[in-house]
Amino acid sequence: MSVLSALIFILVLVAGCGTTGPEEETAINEDIVLLKEARAEGETLESNLIMGAWTPESIFAAIPLWEITVDSDLKIGEESLLFELGSHPGRPVTFIQTSRSESSLLYVRSIFGGASLGTLYEFNGDGEERVLRDSSYAVSSAVYHPEDANIVFYYSYGSDPAFGNADQERTPGYYRLNTTTGDDTLLVEHRSPLGPDEMINGFDVHPNGTTLLIPDVRSSISTPRRPRIVEYDLTTETPDTLALDYDSFINEGLWLRYSPDGAQILYSNFPFNAYSNTAAPESEVGIFDRATGAKRVLDVNTDPRGESVQIAPTWSPNGQHILYGSAPLTLPRGAVGPYSLYVLQDVN
């Protein structure tokens, strides 16, 4: 935990200890649907459903990795725990992303504490898995090319003695990998001052495949600053910083997703340590209109007793709903509960 985060947690702990009597409950947005609880009745396996990834046929959720079928009314059909992905003790799935054109899945197994940093895998529609980049690449996250599932964009934290890959001389940044030919190209260098404490690099690629949507996390351990949204044009190799500000000055993390038509950007500005046991304050989830520059903050709170934290919302294939993991910030303020998977309906 950073010095800043520790100080914030102490302050909210003191504030929480001064509270007496039962809390007044807050009405939850009626458009929020609980899709899967962190630990459903009758299940013996602990789940911490930090994020989901949506296909027309089903939803994948992690951690651990589930496949859930849902109908048009968001009613759950079958649930499958994908044991066939292999046994990797101590290396949980910390990131997942589905293909827009085919039934395949990218995921990262972490080698570094609470950060998404490790080996990049692909799980295809035939039930087979393969390593796309081993742990020496220190991959945080990845997305498919919108029109070609053989092309994968990924973010690497580069080389660091802490990762055990100092001899690789890898440059931190965004890469394009052709999984058929093996061609691997550095597109743009990028280094978050937070390093692996960034937890996850929530970048995306525009539906036309020509623009990277980059979360420019600028904070250091001692100097928190609001992250910026940067669109990087791969054709002209030029960046453009978008004019979006957030309600919280403290939240250091940023997760971004283009809408299916590319007209809107779904974002989550979330707190440091949201993967772990303590975090404050809550996250801000909203939609940024690229044409008008207007933002719309969404009511995604799932805790009637107070506030919740969300870090990885994503669009439904038709762009109407949002899928996200959410955890309560329990008393004393700053303690993060288990993540469950929710859908916010009819955002457009």
Side-chain angles (χ1 to χ4, degrees), residues 77-300:
E78 297 181 359
E79 300 180 45
S80 302
L81 183 61
L82 300 181
F83 288 111
E84 61 265 40
L85 289 178
S87 176
H88 304 266
R91 295 190 175 185
V93 174
T94 52
F95 170 84
I96 54 175
Q97 179 67 41
T98 54
S99 168
R100 295 171 179 168
S101 58
E102 299 180 15
S103 56
S104 51
L105 175 74
L106 298 170
Y107 61 99
V108 171
R109 285 195 179 273
S110 180
I111 61 169
F112 195 83
S116 182
L117 183 161
T119 305
L120 175 63
Y121 292 83
E122 181 181 51
F123 181 65
N124 65 28
D126 297 325
E128 300 174 343
E129 66 170 337
R130 61 171 171 163
V131 174
L132 297 184
R133 284 292 174 259
D134 64 33
S135 61
S136 69
Y137 286 82
V139 176
S140 175
S141 52
V143 295
Y144 286 103
H145 190 288
E147 298 177 351
D148 186 352
N150 293 312
I151 303 296
V152 171
F153 299 87
Y154 70 91
Y155 179 77
S156 167
Y157 281 109
S159 302
D160 191 304
F163 311 153
N165 67 351
D167 60 328
Q168 302 294 328
E169 298 183 355
R170 301 198 194 285
T171 301
Y174 300 91
Y175 290 77
R176 179 171 50 208
L177 170 67
N178 187 315
T179 61
T180 300
T181 66
D183 291 340
D184 198 354
T185 305
L186 174 64
L187 300 173
V188 56
E189 294 185 20
H190 180 72
R191 166 71 82 177
S192 165
L194 282 175
D197 288 332
E198 184 184 14
M199 296 190 304
I200 188 168
N201 187 285
F203 84 100
D204 197 18
V205 176
H206 192 277
N208 64 17
T210 64
T211 304
L212 288 178
L213 185 61
I214 295 175
D216 186 12
V217 178
R218 304 178 297 147
S219 291
S220 65
I221 296 298
S222 60
T223 309
R225 291 187 292 179
R226 289 185 176 96
R228 300 178 298 190
I229 297 178
V230 175
E231 287 189 307
Y232 184 84
D233 190 307
L234 295 173
T235 302
T236 63
E237 299 183 346
T238 55
D240 180 26
T241 301
L242 304 185
L244 174 64
D245 212 344
Y246 321 99
D247 295 345
S248 172
F249 179 78
I250 299 174
N251 286 348
E252 299 157 307
L254 185 61
W255 167 277
L256 304 170
R257 283 295 177 265
Y258 280 115
S259 60
D261 62 2
Q264 298 174 309
I265 295 172
L266 175 65
Y267 70 90
S268 175
N269 179 216
F270 60 90
F272 182 86
N273 269 359
Y275 268 9
S276 60
N277 297 323
T278 59
E282 73 281 3
S283 54
E284 175 184 324
V285 176
I287 293 174
F288 176 77
D289 187 285
R290 295 175 67 244
T292 66
K295 83 166 183 177
R296 175 163 48 102
V297 177
L298 302 175
D299 179 5
V300 292

